[in-house]
Amino acid sequence: MEGAIYADVQSSTIPEELKAIYIMANATELMSAQAFERLKHVFRKHGYIINENQLLTGITQYCKMIKMASYQFFQKVEPQIMNATFFAGRYEDDTTGNVSAYDGFNEDSCEICRLVMLYIDRTAKNNDGYAKVFKTLRQLPPGGIFNDEDISKYKMK
């Protein structure tokens, strides 16, 4: 029975959707860390130390939550990413790892960050913008990773 389940999962787009989740989680962690560092820099520039200033309780709580989320990411998600990229197919005596797979994964994550930021920047105040973006993307040839049914389930009606 487990073999049949595994075969059904492997013959579907579920593994690719899970990979997309890991890429988005990695992208979220990356953007979160960048935003957190930028925020801390601004407060330090103005003489505030976030953890010691009671007036900044909201920021302090935010910072604590970011640290907790980062901890969970690095404890639970990042090892999965490493096993699927850097350590994939590695033998015990191999100390080099699959650097290109790991770098490719991180490149995909950075692309997601750039895409989301560019998309928001270009479409947030332009109701026609998102339609142009989707029309352009649909004109590209399919990559065979996801089918239209997979993609359309994320469209709000």
Side-chain angles (χ1 to χ4, degrees), residues 92-103:
E92 281 187 36
D93 60 344
D94 179 10
T95 58
T96 59
N98 191 340
V99 175
S100 63
Y102 182 70
D103 286 348

Side-chain angles (χ1 to χ4, degrees), residues 54-74:
Q54 293 302 316
L55 296 174
L56 301 174
T57 304
I59 297 299
T60 302
Q61 286 302 100
Y62 171 77
C63 292
K64 285 179 184 176
M65 295 299 133
I66 290 294
K67 288 178 183 177
M68 287 173 47
S70 289
Y71 175 81
Q72 289 298 317
F73 176 83
F74 287 110

Side-chain angles (χ1 to χ4, degrees), residues 5 9 39 46 51-53 83 89 97 101-102 117 125 127 142-144 149:
I5 293 170
V9 168
L39 184 62
H46 292 280
N51 293 335
E52 297 176 11
N53 190 321
N83 286 334
Y102 182 70
M117 292 173 79
K125 296 177 183 174
N127 290 338
E149 183 181 326

Side-chain angles (χ1 to χ4, degrees), residues 59-127:
I59 297 299
T60 302
Q61 286 302 100
Y62 171 77
C63 292
K64 285 179 184 176
M65 295 299 133
I66 290 294
K67 288 178 183 177
M68 287 173 47
S70 289
Y71 175 81
Q72 289 298 317
F73 176 83
F74 287 110
Q75 290 295 309
K76 306 291 184 192
V77 176
E78 210 263 344
Q80 297 292 327
I81 293 169
M82 291 297 289
N83 286 334
T85 58
F86 188 77
F87 297 123
R90 191 176 121 176
Y91 300 102
E92 281 187 36
D93 60 344
D94 179 10
T95 58
T96 59
N98 191 340
V99 175
S100 63
Y102 182 70
D103 286 348
F105 182 88
N106 283 311
E107 185 177 327
D108 289 346
S109 297
C110 288
E111 285 176 10
I112 292 296
C113 292
R114 290 174 45 230
L115 179 64
V116 168
M117 292 173 79
L118 192 59
Y119 178 82
I120 290 169
D121 182 67
R122 302 306 196 269
T123 65
K125 296 177 183 174
N126 179 354
N127 290 338

